[in-house]
Amino acid sequence: MFGTRQNRPESNKVPSINKGKAALTVKIVAAVFVILLIAGNSYYTIQEEEQAVVCTFGSPKAVTTPGLHFKIPFIQTVTKVNTTIKGFTIGYALEGENMTATDDTMMITSDYNFINVDFYAAYRVADPVKALYASEDPVEILKNIAQNCIRTTIGSYTVDSVLTTGKNEIQANITQMILEKLEAYDIGIQLINITIQDAEPPTEEVSNAFKEVETAKQGKETALNNANKYRNEQIPNAEAKSDEILQSAEAAKQERINEANGQAARFNSMYAEYIKYPEVTKKRMFYEAMENILPDVKVVIESSDGRTNTILPLDSFVSDDTASVNSNTGNGADNVSDDASGEEE
């Protein structure tokens, strides 16, 4: 019995050693797990299209540099924000490949017409800290701002402007209004662009009427272009004709001036001859004037001795007969002058 009592303590030592080893193993595994957990939470990675917000004891800070970054485990929290350009629709919804109109598509213009207008707005996160903490849902706020600005702007334009010529101006005004309101709210969202996707009247009859108006406007533009083309073709021709008329008038003017100068020179020369021989020049001018006035009349003067002499018309000095006639005429003229002088005596 004594021997059996001495063997009992040795048999109890084996389980206690195994329990110690198991506890140590558990502690080591737990320590490794904790170390791995801490190591896994001590770094994070930022992609090119991302930014991160690191919050330390409730104080957020933006991290914008892509790559590997470290943080304090269980003390700092990291929230990643996608900064790529996104968008949303106003006035229609995309369901697969189909488009369905929504309740906010119908609007009223300044001339009290109804019109369906669809928009697409593109935006991105500009400040990740404000996008996370300045408001609960910044995208929803941007949608409400966009709808308000769209309805305000559409309400200040006529339906004709919205459908045809005023789209670019309307888009610019809406964009400017949204940017001003986003700057006032400061929610960390930046508007990239907002465009009109489609604009049409609410009924088919009105739509057909506006199509006819647009066709008429295109016809007007075509007529104006043709008129401008015709004008551009005719103006050079008219200018050429005008230059031709001016040149002809200038030539006629110079011709008249030259003719007048010639007549003045002729008169001056005649006057110079008249001063030298007044009586002879006077008779010659008289005979020339009578020949011009009475070209078909013959003037015959009969002398006192019965001879007749032809005074007008003056015959040519070329032929022999003309020479004899001229000699007779000269003699007759002398006789006439002699007779006249005799009678005067």
Side-chain angles (χ1 to χ4, degrees), residues 214-255:
E214 187 65 22
T215 302
K217 287 185 177 180
Q218 293 178 358
K220 172 187 173 183
E221 293 296 329
T222 302
L224 288 175
N225 293 333
N226 292 334
N228 291 329
K229 179 182 177 181
Y230 178 77
R231 180 189 66 182
N232 295 332
E233 291 176 351
Q234 294 300 318
I235 286 178
N237 296 333
E239 290 178 349
K241 290 182 179 178
S242 175
D243 293 338
E244 183 179 356
I245 293 172
L246 289 175
Q247 292 175 2
S248 299
E250 189 67 26
K253 168 188 172 183
Q254 194 63 37
E255 183 180 356

Side-chain angles (χ1 to χ4, degrees), residues 44 46 51-65 69-70 76-81 127-130 132-133:
Y44 60 94
I46 300 178
Q51 291 185 7
V53 177
V54 179
C55 189
T56 305
F57 298 113
S59 177
K61 179 182 178 181
V63 179
T64 60
T65 306
H69 298 269
F70 294 93
Q76 293 180 323
T77 58
V78 177
T79 304
K80 296 180 182 180
V81 178
D127 190 332
V129 175
K130 293 178 180 179
L132 289 176
Y133 298 106

Side-chain angles (χ1 to χ4, degrees), residues 100-117:
T100 58
T102 57
D103 296 335
D104 52 359
T105 184
M106 185 174 292
M107 304 178 189
I108 301 177
T109 59
S110 62
D111 51 356
Y112 304 104
N113 284 304
F114 290 96
I115 186 172
N116 294 332
V117 188

Side-chain angles (χ1 to χ4, degrees), residues 139-166:
V139 177
E140 188 65 26
I141 294 175
L142 176 60
K143 287 183 180 179
N144 294 332
I145 292 175
Q147 290 179 358
N148 177 266
C149 295
I150 287 171
R151 292 186 179 277
T152 301
T153 305
I154 294 295
S156 61
Y157 284 84
T158 62
V159 65
D160 189 35
S161 298
V162 177
L163 289 175
T164 56
T165 59

Side-chain angles (χ1 to χ4, degrees), residues 1-13:
M1 292 176 66
F2 180 78
T4 58
R5 288 178 181 177
Q6 290 179 348
N7 291 332
R8 287 178 182 175
E10 293 178 358
S11 61
N12 291 333
K13 289 180 180 180

Side-chain angles (χ1 to χ4, degrees), residues 31-51:
V32 171
F33 178 77
V34 170
I35 291 172
L36 292 176
L37 183 62
I38 293 174
N41 289 328
S42 62
Y43 69 92
Y44 60 94
T45 303
I46 300 178
Q47 303 297 329
E48 290 288 341
E49 69 278 3
E50 293 179 336
Q51 291 185 7

